[in-house]
Amino acid sequence: MSSINTRITQILSNDQHNATTAPLYQSTTFKQTEEQNNYDYTRSGNPTRTVLEDHLTKIVQAEQVYAVTSGMSCLDVVLKLLKSGDEVIAGEDLYGGSDRLLNLYKNHGIIELKNIDTTNFELIKSTISLKTKLILLESPTNPLLKIVDLPKISSYIRKNFPDCLIIFDNTMMSPILSNSLQYVDIQYESATKYLNGHHDIMAGIIEINKKSLVKDIYFIINSIGCGLAPFECWLLLRGLKTLSIRIEKQQSNTIKVIKFFKELGFKVNYPGSTPEQLKIHNSYNKGIGCVFSIETNSIKKSENFMNSLKLFSITVSFGSINSLVSMPCQMSHASIDPKVRELRKLPEDLIRFSIGIEDVDDLINDLRNSLLKNGLIKNINGNFVKTEYSKL
Ligand SMILES: *Cc1c(COP(=O)(O)O)cnc(C)c1O
């Protein structure tokens, strides 16, 4: 079989006129004729969505991939596999929106929820029980970029708790950099991020690795009506074509920008920033990705630094072709109670970067200028060094 980079380019559209790109079927209804017709109503199925889903199934080598309206919608669909009273274990350094949705289910009395540090394998072992019906893992965690030992957790759960669904949020690494699907029952990703990569659609994909779940997931998607709309499917097919080269360029830029911050003496969080973490990360990933975070010890200095940047837009989200910067505690993770953030050791001054495809020297110049302007570094005879100051 050809590599994922090649598979991404090979879209089979099965078009009656042999169009080389997939046609857009912007239609909600399909006439019922004498011959068998695969489509009747777009909530249940649409030819453009089928092309996308078949293409993604081939790219990631899943039993089946379904495309839905957002990353959150993926999690919502997965949680609807549960029954009242089922226990869920989830990470405590999760994407803020996932945390909010899990708590909605919990507060409505639908699930029992245990948030634990899922980077701690022993803690998972002592928490999981026969009551646990689903474990939700995300790695690298967001925004601290800590690593979950997915292969180890997966083999332990499959052996001892075969009824517990293993669900993995692979948004950060994308299928290009991760081999995670084999360790889980269902993996999902926000396609709003890398898969589409252009900041112009919301989408999510659900990658099913267990045949018995395919029908159930389809039933839920069709019941809710969260299947991805035709035009978004068409745009996602278009964005996907450049996924490999975008990630390759974004990642090589990221490595250079991280080196820049480390040489200045900043604390940088990135996947595998310690040798032990790196070993675990590399056991099922092929790179560090394109997101990292730094700490300045000062909320005010972080804000000023972020506001002085010219090439980075202050934006939530990540994975687009242009570089982004954010302060998670004020933006993507603001929905988490400040006390809980403190408990989870999420620094309020944390700055998260998502690196794009720009010329990396321009990015580094922009970062250096803003660090200088805001007194975070100083120029001593042409050498730039981090300014020391007490925590503000
Ligand atoms: C963005 C994101 C989501 C949610 O995806 P949407 O498409 O915004 O709904 C879920 N998990 C992670 C890790 C994300 O970054």
Side-chain angles (χ1 to χ4, degrees):
M1 191 185 23
S2 49
S3 88
I4 189 165
N5 302 334
T6 307
R7 294 203 297 280
I8 271 181
T9 64
Q10 308 291 306
I11 302 174
L12 270 182
S13 80
N14 288 337
D15 172 51
Q16 55 176 326
H17 304 296
N18 296 321
T20 47
T21 58
L24 168 59
Y25 285 88
Q26 190 70 18
S27 180
T28 53
T29 40
F30 299 84
K31 283 181 202 157
Q32 304 301 291
T33 54
E34 306 271 285
E35 311 100 72
Q36 201 213 330
N37 194 343
N38 289 331
Y39 302 97
D40 54 10
Y41 191 50
T42 282
R43 171 155 45 73
S44 310
N46 176 286
T48 310
R49 195 189 302 144
T50 304
V51 172
L52 171 67
E53 291 176 340
D54 288 352
H55 185 48
L56 285 164
T57 301
K58 218 171 61 189
I59 291 176
V60 305
Q61 297 286 297
E63 283 291 338
Q64 177 67 45
V65 175
Y66 288 118
V68 294
T69 50
S70 68
M72 289 329 306
S73 189
C74 297
L75 178 59
D76 189 39
V77 166
V78 166
L79 291 176
K80 286 190 163 59
L81 290 167
L82 297 175
K83 298 204 171 57
S84 170
D86 283 352
E87 182 186 279
V88 173
I89 293 179
E92 57 177 14
D93 187 16
L94 279 184
Y95 175 72
S98 307
D99 202 70
R100 179 170 49 201
L101 183 58
L102 284 164
N103 277 291
L104 181 70
Y105 272 81
K106 178 187 154 190
N107 296 337
H108 285 197
I110 302 167
I111 60 166
E112 290 184 26
L113 179 62
K114 285 188 174 156
N115 281 110
I116 60 168
D117 175 4
T118 48
T119 63
N120 182 339
F121 177 63
E122 293 306 319
L123 195 56
I124 292 181
K125 269 171 79 171
S126 62
T127 309
I128 194 168
S129 72
L130 289 169
K131 267 186 69 186
T132 315
K133 291 294 180 279
L134 189 153
I135 182 164
L136 174 62
L137 302 165
E138 183 183 322
S139 186
T141 65
N142 179 9
L144 291 178
L145 292 313
K146 288 200 270 170
I147 307 301
V148 166
D149 196 340
L150 183 65
K152 194 165 164 188
I153 297 168
S154 167
S155 84
Y156 177 77
I157 294 180
R158 281 181 171 166
K159 186 154 165 248
N160 299 289
F161 299 95
D163 291 337
C164 174
L165 290 172
I166 307 171
I167 311 294
F168 188 67
D169 180 337
N170 191 42
T171 305
M172 273 276 178
M173 284 293 117
S174 90
I176 300 294
L177 297 178
S178 170
N179 295 317
S180 44
L181 184 62
Q182 60 186 301
Y183 300 110
V184 305
D185 298 311
I186 296 176
Q187 164 166 301
Y188 66 83
E189 337 206 345
S190 164
T192 315
K193 317 288 169 59
Y194 293 108
L195 297 182
N196 180 59
H198 293 77
H199 270 326
D200 49 15
I201 61 160
M202 302 286 309
I205 68 164
I206 303 175
E207 307 161 33
I208 307 167
N209 192 28
K210 197 174 188 179
K211 216 175 188 141
S212 59
L213 292 171
V214 173
K215 270 197 179 142
D216 293 344
I217 293 286
Y218 174 77
F219 183 85
I220 295 168
I221 293 171
N222 187 32
S223 305
I224 303 176
C226 63
L228 193 60
F231 187 44
E232 328 302 277
C233 290
W234 189 84
L235 282 170
L236 182 50
L237 275 164
R238 182 170 147 128
L240 268 175
K241 291 175 186 171
T242 52
L243 178 63
S244 306
I245 55 162
R246 279 190 277 114
I247 292 213
E248 194 178 311
K249 172 73 174 166
Q250 287 176 248
Q251 182 172 252
S252 77
N253 280 356
T254 304
I255 291 167
K256 288 176 190 151
V257 177
I258 288 177
K259 184 161 171 271
F260 162 78
F261 277 115
K262 279 174 78 170
E263 283 176 357
L264 288 170
F266 282 92
K267 179 168 191 299
V268 188
N269 306 301
Y270 60 95
S273 42
T274 66
E276 307 82 68
Q277 293 262 292
L278 187 63
K279 193 163 167 236
I280 301 172
H281 181 70
N282 285 345
S283 71
Y284 65 104
N285 292 288
K286 290 173 277 193
I288 62 160
C290 324
V291 171
F292 67 93
S293 57
I294 65 163
E295 292 167 40
T296 67
N297 272 335
S298 154
I299 298 175
K300 195 75 207 141
K301 281 193 188 295
S302 288
E303 282 171 1
N304 291 345
F305 163 73
M306 194 169 76
N307 286 324
S308 308
L309 289 166
K310 303 269 189 296
L311 298 178
F312 291 76
S313 63
I314 301 175
T315 314
V316 292
S317 194
F318 56 85
S320 191
I321 48 106
N322 53 318
S323 291
L324 314 174
V325 63
S326 70
M327 286 178 71
C329 290
Q330 301 178 6
M331 299 164 67
S332 54
H333 291 59
S335 62
I336 301 175
D337 188 308
K339 285 196 212 87
V340 177
R341 291 203 298 258
E342 197 181 331
L343 218 62
R344 295 182 189 171
K345 301 195 183 68
L346 204 60
E348 298 285 319
D349 60 309
L350 195 76
I351 307 172
R352 189 183 77 182
F353 294 90
S354 166
I355 303 295
I357 63 171
E358 303 90 340
D359 189 323
V360 72
D361 292 334
D362 290 335
L363 294 179
I364 288 176
N365 272 333
D366 190 28
L367 293 166
R368 191 188 293 114
N369 287 341
S370 179
L371 289 170
L372 264 176
K373 183 175 170 200
N374 294 292
L376 282 148
I377 58 172
K378 55 191 172 191
N379 184 347
I380 302 179
N381 306 324
N383 287 323
F384 295 98
V385 288
K386 187 164 173 273
T387 314
E388 295 307 327
Y389 49 82
S390 48
K391 198 173 168 88
L392 300 169

